[in-house]
Amino acid sequence: MIDESAFIETSLARFAPSTAALAALCAAVSGIMDFGRGQVLLAEGESSGMVSLLCKGIAKSYRTLADGHAQTLALFVAGDLLDADAFLLGRASATVSAITSVRIALIPHVAFKQAMEQRPEIGWALLRSMARDRAMLQEWLTGLGRRPAHARTTHLICEISTRMGGGARGRTDIPLSQVELADLLGLSAVHVNRVLQQLRAEGLIDVARGRLMILDPARLKAIAGFDAAYLTGES
């Protein structure tokens, strides 16, 4: 656990507003697990008894219907809790699986509760994180219901880039394939391909070897009408 300490601290930063809170959460971590692309991390209805913090990679949550069709509900990047609902409600409301290879830090529910009792700011940080998750879900619902495919796609690309901390220097690598983007957007892969090719022709993005790179973040945000306030809490 010693060589992992700096890595864990960075991942826990969102839920530790103070040095004391960070120390309490780091002390509560009981292990690190790696999962491969496509592996299920937590199944709907289950609870592992652990709070799972994504330290590396990208994951998603989804619900599967009786006919086998699945609906993606959320995307997770480094620093996100994968199972806040299982921690608070006792069971996972959706299945969580890895989109890329991922690394997860595990904190037993009992230890996480004790850390929250010792350092109340951890609980407030958890509430802020859940409010942010709700705001993202509202944006996704707005996109699915009202945004045309072009705007929906550019908005999601901007959101993922912002959450991954990219764009400051003009280039951001988003390691998602067109099929994965189509799943997140609720569109066909063919439709997404057409939109991406249009954005590529406009010099906004580049797509190569299953990876998407943003070339002009400022112009892409303007086209998408993207305002990151729902992610950052800043006006």
Side-chain angles (χ1 to χ4, degrees):
M1 295 293 295
I2 296 176
D3 13 329
E4 297 281 2
S5 58
F7 185 69
I8 293 172
E9 286 182 8
T10 300
S11 303
L12 286 169
R14 184 189 304 168
F15 301 95
S18 66
T19 303
L22 183 59
L25 286 178
C26 286
V29 173
S30 64
I32 298 288
M33 291 188 68
D34 293 309
F35 293 86
R37 183 188 185 102
Q39 279 191 271
V40 171
L41 313 180
L42 185 66
E44 181 182 342
E46 292 183 350
S47 177
S48 65
M50 297 280 183
V51 170
S52 305
L53 178 82
L54 185 60
C55 298
K56 180 182 179 182
I58 301 176
K60 67 177 181 179
S61 67
Y62 60 92
R63 294 283 301 275
T64 303
L65 302 178
D67 61 4
H69 288 90
Q71 175 64 55
T72 299
L73 302 171
L75 189 73
F76 302 106
V77 301
D80 288 340
L81 280 186
L82 300 178
D83 46 11
D85 54 345
F87 170 62
L88 295 169
L89 302 176
R91 63 186 297 277
S93 58
T95 298
V96 180
S97 68
I99 293 180
T100 66
S101 58
V102 301
R103 175 167 291 183
I104 294 172
L106 299 171
I107 302 177
H109 284 179
V110 172
F112 197 85
K113 290 175 182 176
Q114 288 176 344
M116 290 174 62
E117 290 169 358
Q118 294 168 5
R119 308 303 314 181
E121 64 266 36
I122 295 174
W124 284 108
L126 177 61
L127 284 175
R128 284 193 296 272
S129 178
M130 292 171 65
R132 181 173 179 259
D133 291 343
R134 181 175 179 270
M136 284 190 287
L137 181 58
Q138 288 175 332
E139 285 292 333
W140 279 34
L141 288 173
T142 302
L144 288 170
R146 294 299 177 188
R147 290 191 183 107
H150 186 278
R152 194 189 312 176
T153 303
T154 53
H155 197 280
L156 179 64
I157 291 173
C158 290
E159 178 183 287
I160 296 172
S161 173
T162 300
R163 293 177 65 192
M164 293 179 71
R169 298 185 180 178
R171 289 175 180 263
T172 303
D173 192 18
I174 298 178
L176 296 174
S177 70
Q178 292 183 28
V179 172
E180 288 160 345
L181 281 173
D183 179 48
L184 295 171
L185 290 162
L187 299 169
S188 71
V190 173
H191 201 157
V192 170
N193 181 264
R194 284 199 298 267
V195 174
L196 293 180
Q197 291 307 319
Q198 181 182 347
L199 296 174
R200 186 177 186 179
E202 294 170 356
L204 296 167
I205 66 168
D206 190 22
V207 182
R209 294 184 293 276
R211 302 176 79 88
L212 186 150
M213 179 176 285
I214 298 175
L215 303 178
D216 192 338
R219 192 152 62 98
L220 193 72
K221 288 178 181 179
I223 290 171
F226 179 78
D227 181 353
Y230 71 99
L231 296 173
T232 64
E234 300 171 356
S235 56

